[in-house]
Amino acid sequence: MNERKNLVSMKGQSLTLLGNEVEAGQKAPDFEVVANDMSTVRFSSFHGKVCIISAVPSLNTEVCDMQTRRFNEEAIKLGEDVVVLTISMDLPFAQKLWCGTASVKNVQTLSDHREASFSTAFGILIKEMRLIARAVFVVDKDGIIRYIQIVDELANEPDYQPVLDVVRELI
């Protein structure tokens, strides 16, 4: 498994990312995650939709909460051709509870806790914590990665505007 150091940090402490590095323009790797109802979801099932993949360390933290709520609001404006997925290592039960408490209905939360299939396929598994680095990927209707943003400091939110600009160009 590939290791990349110094791409992300937490409060200034450098962390190691594991997995395969992906690039804009390449086909998005398929992966398998768990939905809130414990069913298995393959990324390939979203083919034909523009996908925003919002990766967060844990929904029960302030910045992850803000990020997911923001994409929930934006999802309404983007229409039916766009799917917003928020993926974390949180257990599906915790994700379902968080969504109910936060009234988040426009984002599909998915758990990578079983196999780290998503985080290793996209190269954002944090070795030191077995959490997912904060990142946003935009994948077009044909499954091609069109935008990547790996947030260098876990305590910071992503820059939403370039994500939304790319999505609007694709729909």
Side-chain angles (χ1 to χ4, degrees):
M1 187 174 309
N2 297 337
E3 285 192 20
R4 296 180 332 274
K5 194 113 171 116
N6 301 323
L7 288 178
V8 298
S9 63
M10 183 170 173
K11 299 179 181 173
Q13 179 183 350
S14 183
L15 301 170
T16 307
L17 296 183
L18 300 175
N20 302 312
E21 188 174 359
V22 295
E23 296 179 7
Q26 80 177 63
K27 184 154 183 64
D30 201 11
F31 57 86
E32 199 170 90
V33 286
V34 182
N36 292 177
D37 65 1
M38 299 302 291
S39 64
T40 299
V41 176
R42 292 199 67 83
F43 181 62
S44 54
S45 69
F46 297 103
H47 190 78
K49 299 274 188 183
V50 173
C51 292
I52 298 173
I53 304 173
S54 173
V56 299
S58 175
L59 288 170
N60 288 309
T61 61
E62 182 180 2
V63 178
C64 298
D65 179 284
M66 291 187 300
Q67 179 175 334
T68 306
R69 287 176 190 263
R70 172 70 185 269
F71 279 122
N72 184 62
E73 292 169 16
E74 296 295 343
I76 298 167
K77 303 173 200 170
L78 295 171
E80 293 182 16
D81 288 336
V82 179
V83 173
V84 182
L85 309 174
T86 293
I87 304 176
S88 72
M89 285 291 189
D90 296 310
L91 295 174
F93 314 108
Q95 290 180 339
K96 184 176 182 177
L97 178 63
W98 181 89
C99 286
T101 303
S103 298
V104 167
K105 297 178 179 149
N106 305 307
V107 168
Q108 186 172 353
T109 56
L110 299 165
S111 176
D112 199 27
H113 84 280
R114 278 191 188 153
E115 313 238 350
S117 175
F118 160 70
S119 51
T120 55
F122 280 71
I124 57 170
L125 178 64
I126 301 171
K127 179 181 181 178
E128 293 83 357
M129 299 186 241
R130 199 178 186 278
L131 292 175
I132 300 173
R134 186 175 316 286
V136 184
F137 302 89
V138 176
V139 179
D140 71 15
K141 293 178 182 182
D142 296 318
I144 305 300
I145 300 170
R146 295 297 173 194
Y147 180 81
I148 298 171
Q149 182 183 152
I150 298 175
V151 181
D152 60 355
E153 170 57 52
L154 291 184
N156 294 337
E157 286 182 85
D159 185 355
Y160 300 102
Q161 198 56 54
V163 174
L164 299 171
D165 290 346
V166 169
V167 171
R168 286 187 184 105
E169 288 174 13
L170 294 172
I171 53 176

